[in-house]
Amino acid sequence: MNSSAARTCGRGKMSAPVVKMAGRCFYQLYKLSNSAGRLASGKTGIRQFSGAVVKNAAEPWRLLGAACVQRLAVISADQRPLEAKFSELMNQMELERSLMSDHELRLLDDKERLRRRQAVDYDSDEEEEADRDQDIVLTQDLEDAWEQRLKGFATQPRARGVVDARLERADRCLAEPLLLLTQQEVGSERLWMLPQTPWEAGETLKTTAQRALSATPGLDLQTVFLGNAPCGLYKYRMPRSVRDREGLTGVKVFFFKAVVSGPLPPPAPSSLWVRRSELKDYLKPSYLEKIRPFLLNL
């Protein structure tokens, strides 16, 4: 191969990457021009917040904030048979591995002193000289005194909550966590659900959930919200008649978790405190499916 042919072949190899890079640049320019054209025509998927409605070119949704308020367990639950057996075993192991208390050491000293007094070569003069300046109180005397004090102590029955078990009361079922439900109007129905209210411009969704809780009639409640981000989302579509009339596709409800931090509130109208096992009697299955994963079981 002569020198001119070699130079021609080398230029061909070098020009291939250049052509590839130039093609890539033209493709990027084409994508940018296409995006600019869509922005100019308004055909974008960007959501703009206006009032309580998220306006999308295809699907507008109404935003709501809801408070998932739980009253945690006040007392520990009763032990199951297996738990009681395991607890007894752990207590026995702890007793066997523990050190003796001062009272148990004194009990051993009293037993040793009694053994010396019963011995044949017992010398009472030595022991009386050693204990002359101190009053000897036997451990058995202490135990007798403690027994008398124990008889004057009356134990109270374990508190388990109110007897009538009305769902409006937050002091029922103290060994189980309770969830706050309120009755609200949704269209032409009155449904049980978490306290919720529409989002307003200028506030965060957490503020919306707090406002929904404070707007519940007759509910005097002190709570602590756990975090600033929602813990769950529930959305549903409006009936076609409502969609055509209001121009909304549906509703998105953002849940925020909270717990009761102050005294237990008194009963309030249109409010219930229900256990986890009772939720199916008041909530729709699709709604319950969305809130069940983030319920605290403490």
Side-chain angles (χ1 to χ4, degrees):
M1 181 182 294
N2 54 23
S3 59
S4 60
R7 286 196 298 272
T8 303
C9 182
R11 284 196 297 270
K13 292 181 179 180
M14 292 177 61
S15 60
V18 175
V19 172
K20 186 176 181 180
M21 185 178 299
R24 186 178 301 167
C25 293
F26 281 120
Y27 178 69
Q28 295 293 336
L29 289 174
Y30 169 75
K31 288 179 63 177
L32 289 174
S33 62
N34 191 21
S35 299
R38 286 189 299 163
L39 287 172
S41 61
K43 297 179 179 179
T44 64
I46 301 176
R47 300 187 176 186
Q48 301 175 351
F49 290 86
S50 175
V53 178
V54 180
K55 292 186 177 180
N56 187 292
E59 294 182 334
W61 294 82
R62 176 178 290 132
L63 297 183
L64 280 78
C68 178
V69 182
Q70 284 190 267
R71 189 228 67 190
L72 302 181
V74 180
I75 62 175
S76 59
D78 294 333
Q79 289 184 337
R80 301 174 182 175
L82 181 60
E83 294 173 339
K85 187 176 181 181
F86 179 76
S87 177
E88 182 181 355
L89 176 61
M90 294 301 296
N91 291 335
Q92 181 65 27
M93 292 175 59
E94 182 180 1
L95 177 63
E96 293 175 355
R97 297 176 181 178
S98 63
L99 299 178
M100 289 187 178
S101 64
D102 294 341
H103 177 71
E104 291 172 324
L105 293 176
R106 289 188 60 181
L107 183 61
L108 293 179
D109 291 341
D110 290 346
K111 288 183 178 180
E112 178 63 20
R113 184 179 302 161
L114 181 61
R115 186 191 63 80
R116 291 198 304 267
R117 288 180 179 179
Q118 293 176 350
V120 177
D121 55 348
Y122 171 69
D123 188 358
S124 60
D125 296 336
E126 294 181 1
E127 189 166 351
E128 290 177 358
E129 183 178 356
D131 299 333
R132 184 177 303 164
D133 298 330
Q134 60 179 357
D135 297 332
I136 300 177
V137 180
L138 297 179
T139 53
Q140 186 62 43
D141 298 334
L142 288 175
E143 292 181 357
D144 293 340
W146 294 340
E147 187 71 25
Q148 293 298 324
R149 292 178 59 185
L150 180 60
K151 291 180 179 180
F153 179 78
T155 59
Q156 297 295 327
R158 190 182 187 202
R160 300 179 182 273
V162 292
V163 179
D164 56 2
R166 290 172 51 199
L167 298 182
E168 295 85 359
R169 303 190 58 158
D171 55 352
R172 60 183 291 264
C173 304
L174 297 180
E176 299 181 60
L178 301 180
L179 179 67
L180 174 63
L181 299 181
T182 59
Q183 197 172 33
Q184 304 184 35
E185 292 186 3
V186 179
S188 59
E189 297 181 277
R190 288 187 62 84
L191 302 176
W192 289 102
M193 58 181 59
L194 303 182
Q196 65 181 31
T197 191
W199 172 80
E200 294 181 356
E203 67 178 5
T204 63
L205 285 170
K206 178 183 177 181
T207 305
T208 304
Q210 292 172 335
R211 182 165 53 84
L213 195 58
S214 60
T216 303
L219 188 63
D220 184 14
L221 190 61
Q222 299 179 20
T223 59
V224 172
F225 277 76
L226 307 180
N228 297 319
C231 59
L233 169 65
Y234 173 70
K235 63 180 182 179
Y236 58 91
R237 293 183 176 272
M238 296 287 193
R240 182 169 297 275
S241 59
V242 178
R243 280 185 283 175
D244 296 339
R245 183 176 66 254
E246 300 183 7
L248 293 175
T249 301
V251 175
K252 291 184 178 180
V253 185
F254 293 87
F255 301 108
F256 289 83
K257 194 180 302 182
V259 295
V260 178
S261 59
L264 298 181
S270 301
S271 298
L272 299 179
W273 293 93
V274 298
R275 296 179 295 176
R276 191 186 186 103
S277 58
E278 299 170 341
L279 290 175
K280 63 181 183 299
D281 300 331
Y282 297 92
L283 302 180
K284 289 189 174 182
S286 58
Y287 190 85
L288 177 58
E289 182 182 357
K290 294 299 182 181
I291 70 173
R292 190 189 295 274
F294 54 81
L295 293 180
L296 298 176
N297 191 20
L298 301 177

